[in-house]
Amino acid sequence: GADANWIAPHGGFDEAGYSRLEQITPDNAGKLGLAWYLDLPDEVTLEATPLAIDGTLYFSGGYAEVYAVDAVTGKQLWKFDPETWKRSPDKFTFGANRGVAYEDGRIFVAEMDGRVDALDAKTGELLWSADSIPADFPFSNSTGAPRVMNGKVIIGNGGADAGARGFVTAFDTKTGEMAWRFYTVP
């Protein structure tokens, strides 16, 4: 389970969905209340569980925007907009993004057109961007939350609806170079 930081979907890298923190108990849970809220007027869907790392919440918007928010005050620290609609307007459909990943000071997000972006967690600066979907692949949408482990950021892409083979791709977290690709169907 997760400790003080919620560093991956469902908490820790084991994705147990469990927090070992003990400040909230059955005896004091009824005293919880709203501490702050954040308006995000340009968002239509928020489907991702935020990550909580060293007092900052990180989460993705519907079109793979990434937000960094101070967990105590609710102040937005930075926002990254990949502007997928500028580069790939034909792949810009209804926005649904399922989350971000974190490792070694970097936030990772998958864009709708299949690009994987690495951002500096402190500033939101784009460190690298790599294409996880080949140009000739008939299915072009990527909405899943990436996973990280052992210096690799991993994203899966399915193609069953378009009659294509699904696959999983890993990139080096520091450089963005493709490390490997595994096809889930021969």
PDB file of all heavy atoms in Angstrom, residues 86-114:
ATOM      1  N   LYS A  86      -3.503  20.846 -32.387  1.00  0.00           N
ATOM      2  CA  LYS A  86      -2.691  21.553 -33.386  1.00  0.00           C
ATOM      3  C   LYS A  86      -1.922  20.574 -34.270  1.00  0.00           C
ATOM      4  O   LYS A  86      -1.807  20.761 -35.465  1.00  0.00           O
ATOM      5  CB  LYS A  86      -1.691  22.484 -32.699  1.00  0.00           C
ATOM      6  CG  LYS A  86      -2.272  23.754 -32.167  1.00  0.00           C
ATOM      7  CD  LYS A  86      -1.168  24.635 -31.618  1.00  0.00           C
ATOM      8  CE  LYS A  86      -1.699  25.930 -31.066  1.00  0.00           C
ATOM      9  NZ  LYS A  86      -0.627  26.759 -30.481  1.00  0.00           N
ATOM     10  N   ARG A  87      -1.359  19.534 -33.653  1.00  0.00           N
ATOM     11  CA  ARG A  87      -0.513  18.582 -34.368  1.00  0.00           C
ATOM     12  C   ARG A  87      -1.332  17.500 -35.054  1.00  0.00           C
ATOM     13  O   ARG A  87      -1.018  17.061 -36.145  1.00  0.00           O
ATOM     14  CB  ARG A  87       0.480  17.955 -33.381  1.00  0.00           C
ATOM     15  CG  ARG A  87       1.468  17.019 -33.999  1.00  0.00           C
ATOM     16  CD  ARG A  87       2.408  16.373 -32.972  1.00  0.00           C
ATOM     17  NE  ARG A  87       1.696  15.691 -31.906  1.00  0.00           N
ATOM     18  CZ  ARG A  87       1.514  16.175 -30.671  1.00  0.00           C
ATOM     19  NH1 ARG A  87       2.001  17.345 -30.340  1.00  0.00           N
ATOM     20  NH2 ARG A  87       0.848  15.495 -29.770  1.00  0.00           N
ATOM     21  N   SER A  88      -2.395  17.035 -34.395  1.00  0.00           N
ATOM     22  CA  SER A  88      -3.176  15.900 -34.907  1.00  0.00           C
ATOM     23  C   SER A  88      -4.674  16.177 -34.797  1.00  0.00           C
ATOM     24  O   SER A  88      -5.380  15.502 -34.052  1.00  0.00           O
ATOM     25  CB  SER A  88      -2.833  14.636 -34.109  1.00  0.00           C
ATOM     26  OG  SER A  88      -1.467  14.352 -34.150  1.00  0.00           O
ATOM     27  N   PRO A  89      -5.191  17.141 -35.552  1.00  0.00           N
ATOM     28  CA  PRO A  89      -6.613  17.465 -35.421  1.00  0.00           C
ATOM     29  C   PRO A  89      -7.530  16.301 -35.773  1.00  0.00           C
ATOM     30  O   PRO A  89      -8.617  16.178 -35.217  1.00  0.00           O
ATOM     31  CB  PRO A  89      -6.808  18.643 -36.371  1.00  0.00           C
ATOM     32  CG  PRO A  89      -5.649  18.592 -37.305  1.00  0.00           C
ATOM     33  CD  PRO A  89      -4.527  17.956 -36.560  1.00  0.00           C
ATOM     34  N   ASP A  90      -7.086  15.400 -36.659  1.00  0.00           N
ATOM     35  CA  ASP A  90      -7.914  14.258 -37.037  1.00  0.00           C
ATOM     36  C   ASP A  90      -8.019  13.219 -35.926  1.00  0.00           C
ATOM     37  O   ASP A  90      -8.926  12.390 -35.929  1.00  0.00           O
ATOM     38  CB  ASP A  90      -7.356  13.601 -38.301  1.00  0.00           C
ATOM     39  CG  ASP A  90      -5.922  13.134 -38.133  1.00  0.00           C
ATOM     40  OD1 ASP A  90      -5.120  13.853 -37.496  1.00  0.00           O
ATOM     41  OD2 ASP A  90      -5.584  12.044 -38.637  1.00  0.00           O
ATOM     42  N   LYS A  91      -7.128  13.269 -34.958  1.00  0.00           N
ATOM     43  CA  LYS A  91      -7.137  12.309 -33.858  1.00  0.00           C
ATOM     44  C   LYS A  91      -7.692  12.919 -32.576  1.00  0.00           C
ATOM     45  O   LYS A  91      -7.655  12.301 -31.525  1.00  0.00           O
ATOM     46  CB  LYS A  91      -5.726  11.795 -33.617  1.00  0.00           C
ATOM     47  CG  LYS A  91      -5.178  11.052 -34.819  1.00  0.00           C
ATOM     48  CD  LYS A  91      -3.767  10.601 -34.602  1.00  0.00           C
ATOM     49  CE  LYS A  91      -3.250   9.917 -35.867  1.00  0.00           C
ATOM     50  NZ  LYS A  91      -1.874   9.487 -35.716  1.00  0.00           N
ATOM     51  N   PHE A  92      -8.197  14.109 -32.671  1.00  0.00           N
ATOM     52  CA  PHE A  92      -8.698  14.836 -31.512  1.00  0.00           C
ATOM     53  C   PHE A  92     -10.193  14.581 -31.392  1.00  0.00           C
ATOM     54  O   PHE A  92     -11.014  15.251 -31.991  1.00  0.00           O
ATOM     55  CB  PHE A  92      -8.402  16.325 -31.689  1.00  0.00           C
ATOM     56  CG  PHE A  92      -8.478  17.108 -30.425  1.00  0.00           C
ATOM     57  CD1 PHE A  92      -7.514  16.961 -29.446  1.00  0.00           C
ATOM     58  CD2 PHE A  92      -9.510  18.000 -30.207  1.00  0.00           C
ATOM     59  CE1 PHE A  92      -7.572  17.696 -28.281  1.00  0.00           C
ATOM     60  CE2 PHE A  92      -9.582  18.734 -29.046  1.00  0.00           C
ATOM     61  CZ  PHE A  92      -8.610  18.578 -28.079  1.00  0.00           C
ATOM     62  N   THR A  93     -10.545  13.552 -30.634  1.00  0.00           N
ATOM     63  CA  THR A  93     -11.946  13.161 -30.468  1.00  0.00           C
ATOM     64  C   THR A  93     -12.398  13.516 -29.054  1.00  0.00           C
ATOM     65  O   THR A  93     -11.747  14.293 -28.374  1.00  0.00           O
ATOM     66  CB  THR A  93     -12.096  11.658 -30.719  1.00  0.00           C
ATOM     67  OG1 THR A  93     -11.282  10.955 -29.779  1.00  0.00           O
ATOM     68  CG2 THR A  93     -11.683  11.299 -32.139  1.00  0.00           C
ATOM     69  N   PHE A  94     -13.480  12.926 -28.596  1.00  0.00           N
ATOM     70  CA  PHE A  94     -13.958  13.187 -27.236  1.00  0.00           C
ATOM     71  C   PHE A  94     -12.856  12.892 -26.232  1.00  0.00           C
ATOM     72  O   PHE A  94     -12.255  11.827 -26.248  1.00  0.00           O
ATOM     73  CB  PHE A  94     -15.193  12.333 -26.925  1.00  0.00           C
ATOM     74  CG  PHE A  94     -15.720  12.555 -25.542  1.00  0.00           C
ATOM     75  CD1 PHE A  94     -16.428  13.709 -25.237  1.00  0.00           C
ATOM     76  CD2 PHE A  94     -15.479  11.642 -24.532  1.00  0.00           C
ATOM     77  CE1 PHE A  94     -16.902  13.940 -23.960  1.00  0.00           C
ATOM     78  CE2 PHE A  94     -15.953  11.861 -23.254  1.00  0.00           C
ATOM     79  CZ  PHE A  94     -16.665  13.013 -22.970  1.00  0.00           C
ATOM     80  N   GLY A  95     -12.584  13.840 -25.355  1.00  0.00           N
ATOM     81  CA  GLY A  95     -11.479  13.732 -24.405  1.00  0.00           C
ATOM     82  C   GLY A  95     -11.756  12.800 -23.244  1.00  0.00           C
ATOM     83  O   GLY A  95     -12.722  12.975 -22.518  1.00  0.00           O
ATOM     84  N   ALA A  96     -10.898  11.829 -23.089  1.00  0.00           N
ATOM     85  CA  ALA A  96     -10.936  10.939 -21.935  1.00  0.00           C
ATOM     86  C   ALA A  96      -9.516  10.470 -21.683  1.00  0.00           C
ATOM     87  O   ALA A  96      -8.945   9.752 -22.494  1.00  0.00           O
ATOM     88  CB  ALA A  96     -11.851   9.753 -22.191  1.00  0.00           C
ATOM     89  N   ASN A  97      -8.932  10.913 -20.586  1.00  0.00           N
ATOM     90  CA  ASN A  97      -7.577  10.509 -20.236  1.00  0.00           C
ATOM     91  C   ASN A  97      -7.612   9.908 -18.846  1.00  0.00           C
ATOM     92  O   ASN A  97      -8.239  10.463 -17.951  1.00  0.00           O
ATOM     93  CB  ASN A  97      -6.625  11.709 -20.293  1.00  0.00           C
ATOM     94  CG  ASN A  97      -5.193  11.290 -20.116  1.00  0.00           C
ATOM     95  OD1 ASN A  97      -4.745  11.030 -19.011  1.00  0.00           O
ATOM     96  ND2 ASN A  97      -4.467  11.225 -21.218  1.00  0.00           N
ATOM     97  N   ARG A  98      -6.934   8.811 -18.665  1.00  0.00           N
ATOM     98  CA  ARG A  98      -7.082   8.057 -17.421  1.00  0.00           C
ATOM     99  C   ARG A  98      -5.928   8.187 -16.458  1.00  0.00           C
ATOM    100  O   ARG A  98      -5.820   7.411 -15.510  1.00  0.00           O
ATOM    101  CB  ARG A  98      -7.384   6.617 -17.759  1.00  0.00           C
ATOM    102  CG  ARG A  98      -8.783   6.554 -18.370  1.00  0.00           C
ATOM    103  CD  ARG A  98      -9.181   5.223 -18.883  1.00  0.00           C
ATOM    104  NE  ARG A  98     -10.523   5.284 -19.424  1.00  0.00           N
ATOM    105  CZ  ARG A  98     -10.806   5.651 -20.668  1.00  0.00           C
ATOM    106  NH1 ARG A  98      -9.858   6.029 -21.497  1.00  0.00           N
ATOM    107  NH2 ARG A  98     -12.055   5.666 -21.085  1.00  0.00           N
ATOM    108  N   GLY A  99      -5.048   9.168 -16.663  1.00  0.00           N
ATOM    109  CA  GLY A  99      -4.091   9.434 -15.612  1.00  0.00           C
ATOM    110  C   GLY A  99      -2.653   9.623 -16.034  1.00  0.00           C
ATOM    111  O   GLY A  99      -2.290   9.503 -17.193  1.00  0.00           O
ATOM    112  N   VAL A 100      -1.863   9.932 -15.024  1.00  0.00           N
ATOM    113  CA  VAL A 100      -0.443  10.202 -15.193  1.00  0.00           C
ATOM    114  C   VAL A 100       0.357   9.199 -14.374  1.00  0.00           C
ATOM    115  O   VAL A 100      -0.183   8.476 -13.539  1.00  0.00           O
ATOM    116  CB  VAL A 100      -0.097  11.645 -14.767  1.00  0.00           C
ATOM    117  CG1 VAL A 100      -0.818  12.650 -15.649  1.00  0.00           C
ATOM    118  CG2 VAL A 100      -0.404  11.898 -13.300  1.00  0.00           C
ATOM    119  N   ALA A 101       1.657   9.169 -14.634  1.00  0.00           N
ATOM    120  CA  ALA A 101       2.579   8.332 -13.879  1.00  0.00           C
ATOM    121  C   ALA A 101       3.726   9.209 -13.388  1.00  0.00           C
ATOM    122  O   ALA A 101       3.971  10.290 -13.931  1.00  0.00           O
ATOM    123  CB  ALA A 101       3.108   7.190 -14.754  1.00  0.00           C
ATOM    124  N   TYR A 102       4.427   8.727 -12.389  1.00  0.00           N
ATOM    125  CA  TYR A 102       5.532   9.489 -11.795  1.00  0.00           C
ATOM    126  C   TYR A 102       6.726   8.581 -11.530  1.00  0.00           C
ATOM    127  O   TYR A 102       6.562   7.454 -11.044  1.00  0.00           O
ATOM    128  CB  TYR A 102       5.097  10.114 -10.474  1.00  0.00           C
ATOM    129  CG  TYR A 102       6.234  10.758  -9.712  1.00  0.00           C
ATOM    130  CD1 TYR A 102       6.627  12.056  -9.998  1.00  0.00           C
ATOM    131  CD2 TYR A 102       6.915  10.062  -8.725  1.00  0.00           C
ATOM    132  CE1 TYR A 102       7.677  12.648  -9.321  1.00  0.00           C
ATOM    133  CE2 TYR A 102       7.968  10.651  -8.039  1.00  0.00           C
ATOM    134  CZ  TYR A 102       8.339  11.939  -8.336  1.00  0.00           C
ATOM    135  OH  TYR A 102       9.390  12.520  -7.667  1.00  0.00           O
ATOM    136  N   GLU A 103       7.909   9.098 -11.839  1.00  0.00           N
ATOM    137  CA  GLU A 103       9.149   8.450 -11.419  1.00  0.00           C
ATOM    138  C   GLU A 103      10.277   9.454 -11.495  1.00  0.00           C
ATOM    139  O   GLU A 103      10.402  10.197 -12.479  1.00  0.00           O
ATOM    140  CB  GLU A 103       9.474   7.229 -12.305  1.00  0.00           C
ATOM    141  CG  GLU A 103      10.691   6.455 -11.794  1.00  0.00           C
ATOM    142  CD  GLU A 103      10.973   5.200 -12.594  1.00  0.00           C
ATOM    143  OE1 GLU A 103      11.582   5.314 -13.676  1.00  0.00           O
ATOM    144  OE2 GLU A 103      10.588   4.113 -12.121  1.00  0.00           O
ATOM    145  N   ASP A 104      11.071   9.513 -10.442  1.00  0.00           N
ATOM    146  CA  ASP A 104      12.330  10.266 -10.419  1.00  0.00           C
ATOM    147  C   ASP A 104      12.179  11.720 -10.880  1.00  0.00           C
ATOM    148  O   ASP A 104      12.914  12.194 -11.742  1.00  0.00           O
ATOM    149  CB  ASP A 104      13.367   9.539 -11.278  1.00  0.00           C
ATOM    150  CG  ASP A 104      14.782  10.025 -11.005  1.00  0.00           C
ATOM    151  OD1 ASP A 104      15.051  10.528  -9.897  1.00  0.00           O
ATOM    152  OD2 ASP A 104      15.623   9.918 -11.922  1.00  0.00           O
ATOM    153  N   GLY A 105      11.179  12.429 -10.326  1.00  0.00           N
ATOM    154  CA  GLY A 105      11.006  13.846 -10.639  1.00  0.00           C
ATOM    155  C   GLY A 105      10.341  14.138 -11.965  1.00  0.00           C
ATOM    156  O   GLY A 105      10.333  15.276 -12.420  1.00  0.00           O
ATOM    157  N   ARG A 106       9.783  13.116 -12.599  1.00  0.00           N
ATOM    158  CA  ARG A 106       9.122  13.289 -13.897  1.00  0.00           C
ATOM    159  C   ARG A 106       7.674  12.808 -13.830  1.00  0.00           C
ATOM    160  O   ARG A 106       7.379  11.788 -13.231  1.00  0.00           O
ATOM    161  CB  ARG A 106       9.861  12.511 -14.983  1.00  0.00           C
ATOM    162  CG  ARG A 106      11.239  13.039 -15.286  1.00  0.00           C
ATOM    163  CD  ARG A 106      11.953  12.113 -16.269  1.00  0.00           C
ATOM    164  NE  ARG A 106      13.257  12.621 -16.622  1.00  0.00           N
ATOM    165  CZ  ARG A 106      14.360  12.424 -15.911  1.00  0.00           C
ATOM    166  NH1 ARG A 106      14.312  11.720 -14.800  1.00  0.00           N
ATOM    167  NH2 ARG A 106      15.514  12.928 -16.300  1.00  0.00           N
ATOM    168  N   ILE A 107       6.804  13.536 -14.514  1.00  0.00           N
ATOM    169  CA  ILE A 107       5.405  13.150 -14.684  1.00  0.00           C
ATOM    170  C   ILE A 107       5.246  12.701 -16.133  1.00  0.00           C
ATOM    171  O   ILE A 107       5.738  13.364 -17.053  1.00  0.00           O
ATOM    172  CB  ILE A 107       4.457  14.341 -14.391  1.00  0.00           C
ATOM    173  CG1 ILE A 107       4.618  14.813 -12.948  1.00  0.00           C
ATOM    174  CG2 ILE A 107       3.015  13.984 -14.718  1.00  0.00           C
ATOM    175  CD1 ILE A 107       4.120  13.846 -11.902  1.00  0.00           C
ATOM    176  N   PHE A 108       4.534  11.612 -16.354  1.00  0.00           N
ATOM    177  CA  PHE A 108       4.332  11.069 -17.701  1.00  0.00           C
ATOM    178  C   PHE A 108       2.843  11.014 -18.005  1.00  0.00           C
ATOM    179  O   PHE A 108       2.034  10.648 -17.152  1.00  0.00           O
ATOM    180  CB  PHE A 108       4.924   9.656 -17.800  1.00  0.00           C
ATOM    181  CG  PHE A 108       6.383   9.609 -17.467  1.00  0.00           C
ATOM    182  CD1 PHE A 108       6.798   9.312 -16.182  1.00  0.00           C
ATOM    183  CD2 PHE A 108       7.341   9.890 -18.427  1.00  0.00           C
ATOM    184  CE1 PHE A 108       8.147   9.289 -15.851  1.00  0.00           C
ATOM    185  CE2 PHE A 108       8.693   9.875 -18.119  1.00  0.00           C
ATOM    186  CZ  PHE A 108       9.096   9.571 -16.824  1.00  0.00           C
ATOM    187  N   VAL A 109       2.488  11.368 -19.249  1.00  0.00           N
ATOM    188  CA  VAL A 109       1.104  11.334 -19.691  1.00  0.00           C
ATOM    189  C   VAL A 109       1.071  10.854 -21.138  1.00  0.00           C
ATOM    190  O   VAL A 109       1.998  11.111 -21.907  1.00  0.00           O
ATOM    191  CB  VAL A 109       0.429  12.727 -19.549  1.00  0.00           C
ATOM    192  CG1 VAL A 109       1.060  13.753 -20.483  1.00  0.00           C
ATOM    193  CG2 VAL A 109      -1.073  12.649 -19.725  1.00  0.00           C
ATOM    194  N   ALA A 110       0.001  10.146 -21.500  1.00  0.00           N
ATOM    195  CA  ALA A 110      -0.200   9.709 -22.886  1.00  0.00           C
ATOM    196  C   ALA A 110      -1.228  10.626 -23.542  1.00  0.00           C
ATOM    197  O   ALA A 110      -2.310  10.827 -23.007  1.00  0.00           O
ATOM    198  CB  ALA A 110      -0.685   8.265 -22.923  1.00  0.00           C
ATOM    199  N   GLU A 111      -0.861  11.174 -24.682  1.00  0.00           N
ATOM    200  CA  GLU A 111      -1.768  12.048 -25.438  1.00  0.00           C
ATOM    201  C   GLU A 111      -2.713  11.212 -26.295  1.00  0.00           C
ATOM    202  O   GLU A 111      -2.456  10.042 -26.569  1.00  0.00           O
ATOM    203  CB  GLU A 111      -0.980  12.971 -26.358  1.00  0.00           C
ATOM    204  CG  GLU A 111      -0.112  13.972 -25.647  1.00  0.00           C
ATOM    205  CD  GLU A 111       0.539  14.916 -26.636  1.00  0.00           C
ATOM    206  OE1 GLU A 111      -0.114  15.295 -27.636  1.00  0.00           O
ATOM    207  OE2 GLU A 111       1.709  15.277 -26.419  1.00  0.00           O
ATOM    208  N   MET A 112      -3.780  11.850 -26.757  1.00  0.00           N
ATOM    209  CA  MET A 112      -4.782  11.168 -27.568  1.00  0.00           C
ATOM    210  C   MET A 112      -4.214  10.591 -28.861  1.00  0.00           C
ATOM    211  O   MET A 112      -4.686   9.576 -29.346  1.00  0.00           O
ATOM    212  CB  MET A 112      -5.921  12.119 -27.899  1.00  0.00           C
ATOM    213  CG  MET A 112      -6.699  12.551 -26.680  1.00  0.00           C
ATOM    214  SD  MET A 112      -8.035  13.634 -27.111  1.00  0.00           S
ATOM    215  CE  MET A 112      -9.149  12.456 -27.836  1.00  0.00           C
ATOM    216  N   ASP A 113      -3.200  11.230 -29.428  1.00  0.00           N
ATOM    217  CA  ASP A 113      -2.655  10.752 -30.695  1.00  0.00           C
ATOM    218  C   ASP A 113      -1.524   9.745 -30.509  1.00  0.00           C
ATOM    219  O   ASP A 113      -0.857   9.388 -31.460  1.00  0.00           O
ATOM    220  CB  ASP A 113      -2.203  11.921 -31.564  1.00  0.00           C
ATOM    221  CG  ASP A 113      -1.027  12.684 -30.996  1.00  0.00           C
ATOM    222  OD1 ASP A 113      -0.613  12.418 -29.847  1.00  0.00           O
ATOM    223  OD2 ASP A 113      -0.511  13.581 -31.691  1.00  0.00           O
ATOM    224  N   GLY A 114      -1.310   9.287 -29.262  1.00  0.00           N
ATOM    225  CA  GLY A 114      -0.322   8.251 -29.026  1.00  0.00           C
ATOM    226  C   GLY A 114       1.025   8.738 -28.544  1.00  0.00           C
ATOM    227  O   GLY A 114       1.902   7.926 -28.259  1.00  0.00           O
TER     228      GLY A 114
END
